[in-house]
Short mmCIF file of all heavy atoms in Angstrom, two decimals:
data_model
loop_
_atom_site.label_atom_id
_atom_site.label_comp_id
_atom_site.label_asym_id
_atom_site.label_seq_id
_atom_site.Cartn_x
_atom_site.Cartn_y
_atom_site.Cartn_z
N GLY L 422 10.75 -139.70 60.08
CA GLY L 422 11.45 -138.47 59.86
C GLY L 422 12.81 -138.74 59.48
O GLY L 422 13.44 -139.78 59.83
N ASP L 423 13.44 -137.84 58.72
CA ASP L 423 14.76 -138.20 58.31
C ASP L 423 15.78 -137.40 59.23
O ASP L 423 15.50 -136.36 59.69
CB ASP L 423 15.02 -137.80 56.81
CG ASP L 423 14.53 -136.39 56.50
OD1 ASP L 423 13.31 -136.20 56.81
OD2 ASP L 423 15.31 -135.66 55.97
N ALA L 424 16.77 -138.12 59.57
CA ALA L 424 17.76 -137.56 60.48
C ALA L 424 19.05 -137.26 59.78
O ALA L 424 19.41 -137.91 58.82
CB ALA L 424 17.93 -138.53 61.64
N LYS L 425 19.73 -136.27 60.31
CA LYS L 425 21.03 -136.01 59.76
C LYS L 425 22.10 -136.66 60.62
O LYS L 425 22.04 -136.46 61.90
CB LYS L 425 21.33 -134.53 59.77
CG LYS L 425 20.40 -133.74 58.88
CD LYS L 425 20.96 -133.52 57.51
CE LYS L 425 19.97 -132.68 56.69
NZ LYS L 425 20.34 -132.48 55.32
N SER L 426 22.94 -137.40 60.13
CA SER L 426 24.03 -138.03 60.86
C SER L 426 25.15 -137.07 61.04
O SER L 426 25.10 -135.96 60.47
CB SER L 426 24.49 -139.30 60.23
OG SER L 426 25.03 -139.03 58.99
N GLY L 427 26.17 -137.49 61.79
CA GLY L 427 27.30 -136.54 62.00
C GLY L 427 27.90 -136.01 60.70
O GLY L 427 28.32 -134.85 60.65
N SER L 428 27.93 -136.84 59.65
CA SER L 428 28.54 -136.33 58.36
C SER L 428 27.47 -135.65 57.51
O SER L 428 27.66 -135.55 56.30
CB SER L 428 29.15 -137.51 57.71
OG SER L 428 28.14 -138.44 57.44
N ASP L 429 26.44 -135.17 58.08
CA ASP L 429 25.35 -134.45 57.36
C ASP L 429 24.62 -135.30 56.33
O ASP L 429 24.06 -134.82 55.40
CB ASP L 429 25.94 -133.19 56.70
CG ASP L 429 25.83 -132.01 57.56
OD1 ASP L 429 25.16 -132.10 58.66
OD2 ASP L 429 26.29 -130.90 57.12
N LYS L 430 24.70 -136.62 56.56
CA LYS L 430 24.02 -137.52 55.66
C LYS L 430 22.50 -137.56 56.05
O LYS L 430 22.24 -137.64 57.26
CB LYS L 430 24.66 -138.88 55.82
CG LYS L 430 25.32 -139.45 54.59
CD LYS L 430 25.81 -140.87 54.91
CE LYS L 430 26.56 -141.35 53.79
NZ LYS L 430 27.13 -142.68 53.98
N THR L 431 21.67 -137.49 55.09
CA THR L 431 20.26 -137.68 55.42
C THR L 431 19.95 -139.12 55.50
O THR L 431 20.35 -139.93 54.69
CB THR L 431 19.40 -136.97 54.29
OG1 THR L 431 19.83 -135.66 54.14
CG2 THR L 431 17.93 -137.10 54.59
N THR L 432 19.09 -139.47 56.46
CA THR L 432 18.64 -140.86 56.58
C THR L 432 17.21 -141.00 56.21
O THR L 432 16.35 -140.28 56.69
CB THR L 432 18.89 -141.34 58.07
OG1 THR L 432 20.19 -141.24 58.40
CG2 THR L 432 18.51 -142.84 58.22
N LEU L 433 16.92 -141.85 55.34
CA LEU L 433 15.55 -142.18 54.92
C LEU L 433 15.23 -143.55 55.39
O LEU L 433 15.90 -144.55 55.12
CB LEU L 433 15.45 -142.12 53.42
CG LEU L 433 15.47 -140.75 52.77
CD1 LEU L 433 15.42 -140.89 51.29
CD2 LEU L 433 14.25 -139.87 53.20
N THR L 434 14.12 -143.65 56.14
CA THR L 434 13.71 -145.00 56.64
C THR L 434 12.61 -145.47 55.75
O THR L 434 11.73 -144.73 55.27
CB THR L 434 13.20 -144.97 58.06
OG1 THR L 434 12.15 -144.01 58.15
CG2 THR L 434 14.31 -144.66 59.07
N MET L 435 12.76 -146.83 55.42
CA MET L 435 11.67 -147.36 54.51
C MET L 435 11.20 -148.71 55.06
O MET L 435 12.01 -149.57 55.43
CB MET L 435 12.38 -147.63 53.16
CG MET L 435 11.41 -148.20 52.13
SD MET L 435 12.05 -147.99 50.45
CE MET L 435 13.57 -149.00 50.48
N TRP L 436 9.92 -148.87 55.18
CA TRP L 436 9.33 -150.13 55.63
C TRP L 436 8.77 -150.90 54.50
O TRP L 436 8.02 -150.35 53.72
CB TRP L 436 8.18 -149.79 56.64
CG TRP L 436 8.62 -149.30 57.96
CD1 TRP L 436 9.94 -149.03 58.40
CD2 TRP L 436 7.82 -149.02 59.11
NE1 TRP L 436 9.89 -148.59 59.65
CE2 TRP L 436 8.67 -148.64 60.11
CE3 TRP L 436 6.48 -149.08 59.31
CZ2 TRP L 436 8.20 -148.21 61.42
CZ3 TRP L 436 5.99 -148.68 60.56
CH2 TRP L 436 6.83 -148.26 61.59
N LEU L 437 9.05 -152.14 54.52
CA LEU L 437 8.61 -153.06 53.49
C LEU L 437 8.24 -154.41 54.13
O LEU L 437 8.84 -154.81 55.09
CB LEU L 437 9.76 -153.34 52.44
CG LEU L 437 10.34 -152.26 51.68
CD1 LEU L 437 11.67 -152.67 51.15
CD2 LEU L 437 9.40 -151.88 50.45
N PRO L 438 7.39 -155.16 53.49
CA PRO L 438 7.19 -156.55 53.85
C PRO L 438 8.27 -157.33 53.08
O PRO L 438 8.86 -156.76 52.21
CB PRO L 438 5.82 -156.88 53.36
CG PRO L 438 5.60 -156.00 52.23
CD PRO L 438 6.40 -154.75 52.44
N PRO L 439 8.53 -158.58 53.42
CA PRO L 439 9.47 -159.40 52.63
C PRO L 439 8.95 -159.53 51.18
O PRO L 439 7.79 -160.07 51.03
CB PRO L 439 9.54 -160.69 53.32
CG PRO L 439 8.87 -160.49 54.63
CD PRO L 439 7.93 -159.38 54.53
N LEU L 440 9.65 -159.09 50.19
CA LEU L 440 9.25 -159.18 48.79
C LEU L 440 9.85 -160.37 48.05
O LEU L 440 9.45 -160.70 47.00
CB LEU L 440 9.56 -157.85 48.03
CG LEU L 440 8.98 -156.57 48.57
CD1 LEU L 440 9.40 -155.42 47.81
CD2 LEU L 440 7.40 -156.70 48.59
N ASP L 441 10.90 -160.92 48.69
CA ASP L 441 11.46 -162.12 48.10
C ASP L 441 12.29 -162.79 49.22
O ASP L 441 12.06 -162.35 50.41
CB ASP L 441 12.43 -161.78 46.92
CG ASP L 441 13.47 -160.72 47.45
OD1 ASP L 441 14.45 -161.17 47.98
OD2 ASP L 441 13.44 -159.50 47.15
N LYS L 442 13.11 -163.72 48.95
CA LYS L 442 13.76 -164.42 50.02
C LYS L 442 14.72 -163.63 50.79
O LYS L 442 15.02 -163.86 51.94
CB LYS L 442 14.48 -165.64 49.49
CG LYS L 442 13.57 -166.84 49.16
CD LYS L 442 14.28 -168.01 48.54
CE LYS L 442 13.30 -169.03 48.09
NZ LYS L 442 13.85 -169.99 47.12
N ASP L 443 15.31 -162.60 50.21
CA ASP L 443 16.31 -161.70 50.92
C ASP L 443 16.17 -160.30 50.34
O ASP L 443 17.04 -159.79 49.67
CB ASP L 443 17.68 -162.24 50.66
CG ASP L 443 18.79 -161.45 51.36
OD1 ASP L 443 18.41 -160.64 52.30
OD2 ASP L 443 19.95 -161.53 51.02
N THR L 444 14.96 -159.71 50.70
CA THR L 444 14.73 -158.37 50.18
C THR L 444 15.82 -157.36 50.54
O THR L 444 16.32 -156.60 49.67
CB THR L 444 13.40 -157.85 50.73
OG1 THR L 444 12.38 -158.85 50.47
CG2 THR L 444 12.99 -156.52 50.04
N GLU L 445 16.27 -157.37 51.67
CA GLU L 445 17.26 -156.37 52.13
C GLU L 445 18.61 -156.61 51.42
O GLU L 445 19.29 -155.71 50.93
CB GLU L 445 17.48 -156.36 53.67
CG GLU L 445 18.32 -155.17 54.14
CD GLU L 445 18.19 -154.87 55.61
OE1 GLU L 445 17.46 -155.64 56.27
OE2 GLU L 445 18.77 -153.94 56.06
N GLY L 446 19.01 -157.92 51.36
CA GLY L 446 20.21 -158.26 50.72
C GLY L 446 20.18 -157.94 49.22
O GLY L 446 21.21 -157.61 48.56
N ASN L 447 19.00 -157.98 48.60
CA ASN L 447 18.87 -157.72 47.19
C ASN L 447 18.75 -156.18 46.93
O ASN L 447 19.24 -155.67 45.87
CB ASN L 447 17.68 -158.40 46.59
CG ASN L 447 17.89 -159.94 46.56
OD1 ASN L 447 18.96 -160.42 46.42
ND2 ASN L 447 16.75 -160.66 46.73
#
Side-chain angles (χ1 to χ4, degrees):
Chain L
D423 48 310
K425 298 267 185 187
S426 63
S428 57
D429 267 355
K430 244 184 187 179
T431 303
T432 302
L433 288 174
T434 54
M435 180 163 67
W436 285 4
L437 298 160
L440 299 177
D441 58 80
K442 282 177 187 162
D443 181 17
T444 308
E445 191 162 4
N447 292 330

